[in-house]
């Protein structure tokens, strides 16, 4: 089957929408891209055949309507590679040279400088969007830098929220970070600093996971209250 240039351009739009918005149904893609559902399904079928996209069953309880829930389509590792920077090899060579000539301190300084946008933009973005949680502010900051980030709320445990997860569907430096984990470490540390709490990186695209996931726990208000009440009883 032969495809026109317009076909390939539209298919790239479909793939990019999934990259930016995360796993999506054909109906959602059609609405976002102003295409017919039939056209979207045709491009999705081709992307699945190429191995760039894979169908997934929605999470239990995600559908509120009748009938079988619509399948979600998510980018595979192969599909994500199509959006990676063209200069990965050059970047790796440059960082190898930096490590050889300046040592680990120079490499860490570079990593911290590269993620300085997190702290530089967090405050202003939070002021501009007071309706967002700190994690959602971070997601917006990261998305503006090409990470296609979003936030997922963690399940409630014993009546209390366990926190949130920052999920980055795309990492523009994943191939470089595979060899130089200092990039991921600096990013995690910057997230922790702007939030003023410990966070935990659970998964990274650089090490083969589908999404970069950072756990952001809620501040431990319960323990503080308990200790205060204990002091009140003691006194």
């Amino acid at each position: 089957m032969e495809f026109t240039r317009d076909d390939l351009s539209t298919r790239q739009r479909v793939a990019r929408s999934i990259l930016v918005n995360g796993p999506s149904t054909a109906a959602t893609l059609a609405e976002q891209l102003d295409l017919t559902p039939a056209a979207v399904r045709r491009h999705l079928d081709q992307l699945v055949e190429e191995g760039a996209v894979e169908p997934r069953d929605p999470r239990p309880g995600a559908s509120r309507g009748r009938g079988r829930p619509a399948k979600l389509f998510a980018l595979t590792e192969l599909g994500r590679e199509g959006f990676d920077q063209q200069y990965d090899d050059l970047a790796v060579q440059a960082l190898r040279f930096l490590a050889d000539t300046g040592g680990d301190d120079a490499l860490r300084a570079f990593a911290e400088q590269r993620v300085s946008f997190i702290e530089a933009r967090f405050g202003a973005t939070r002021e501009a969007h007071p309706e967002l949680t700190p994690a959602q502010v971070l997601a917006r900051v990261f998305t503006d830098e090409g990470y296609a980030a979003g936030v997922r709320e963690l399940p409630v445990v014993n009546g209390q929220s366990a926190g949130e997860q920052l999920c980055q569907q795309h990492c523009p430096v994943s191939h470089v970070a595979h060899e130089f984990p200092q990039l991921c470490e600096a990013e995690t540390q910057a997230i922790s600093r702007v939030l003023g709490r410990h966070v935990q990186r659970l998964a990274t695209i650089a090490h083969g996971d589908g999404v970069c996931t950072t756990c952001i726990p809620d501040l431990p208000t319960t323990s503080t209250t308990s200790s205060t009440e204990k002091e009140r009883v003691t006194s």
Side-chain angles (χ1 to χ4, degrees):
M1 181 183 298
E2 294 185 1
F3 300 101
T4 67
R5 181 174 298 181
D6 287 343
D7 284 333
L8 296 176
S9 176
T10 303
R11 194 161 304 131
Q12 290 172 350
R13 289 176 59 210
V14 171
R16 178 169 289 279
S17 180
I18 297 173
L19 171 71
V20 172
N21 299 299
S24 307
T25 65
T28 299
L29 290 166
E31 182 177 351
Q32 290 171 342
L33 300 173
D34 195 23
L35 297 169
T36 66
V40 168
R41 282 192 290 269
R42 179 168 63 88
H43 289 297
L44 285 172
D45 288 343
Q46 183 61 30
L47 287 166
V48 170
E49 185 176 335
E50 293 171 356
V53 164
E54 63 181 5
R56 296 179 181 175
D57 291 324
R59 295 195 305 272
S63 175
R64 298 180 180 178
R66 295 182 177 180
R68 178 174 296 182
K71 283 195 175 294
L72 296 170
F73 292 87
L75 281 183
T76 64
E77 184 64 26
L78 178 63
R80 190 176 285 109
E81 287 177 359
F83 295 95
D84 291 327
Q85 299 293 331
Q86 298 179 358
Y87 301 107
D88 281 347
D89 289 344
L90 178 62
V92 168
Q93 292 175 20
L95 288 181
R96 287 174 181 168
F97 177 81
L98 181 64
D100 290 341
T101 57
D104 191 61
D105 288 342
L107 198 58
R108 291 187 182 280
F110 171 81
E112 291 175 3
Q113 189 278 332
R114 201 201 71 79
V115 298
S116 61
F117 70 89
I118 299 174
E119 291 169 281
R121 300 181 185 178
F122 182 83
T125 304
R126 190 172 189 180
E127 287 183 9
H129 300 279
E131 75 281 4
L132 301 180
T133 68
Q136 290 170 338
V137 172
L138 271 174
R140 180 162 297 210
V141 170
F142 274 105
T143 296
D144 289 344
E145 287 291 317
Y147 286 78
V151 175
R152 180 183 304 162
E153 189 171 343
L154 293 174
V156 174
V157 179
N158 295 328
Q160 184 173 353
S161 171
E164 297 171 303
Q165 283 185 349
L166 177 67
C167 302
Q168 297 153 237
Q169 304 287 343
H170 177 62
C171 175
V173 296
S174 60
H175 284 71
V176 182
H178 179 73
E179 182 169 340
F180 297 99
Q182 293 91 337
L183 298 174
C184 295
E185 293 167 6
E187 188 179 294
T188 305
Q189 291 166 4
I191 292 172
S192 180
R193 285 195 298 270
V194 297
L195 295 178
R197 72 191 76 171
H198 173 75
V199 301
Q200 184 177 5
R201 182 62 63 91
L202 303 178
T204 62
I205 296 172
H207 290 87
D209 300 299
V211 179
C212 291
T213 307
T214 304
C215 180
I216 303 174
D218 278 349
L219 291 174
T221 56
T222 303
S223 59
T224 303
T225 303
S226 297
S227 62
T228 303
E229 290 177 354
K230 185 181 293 186
E231 291 175 4
R232 199 173 293 167
V233 172
T234 303
S235 60

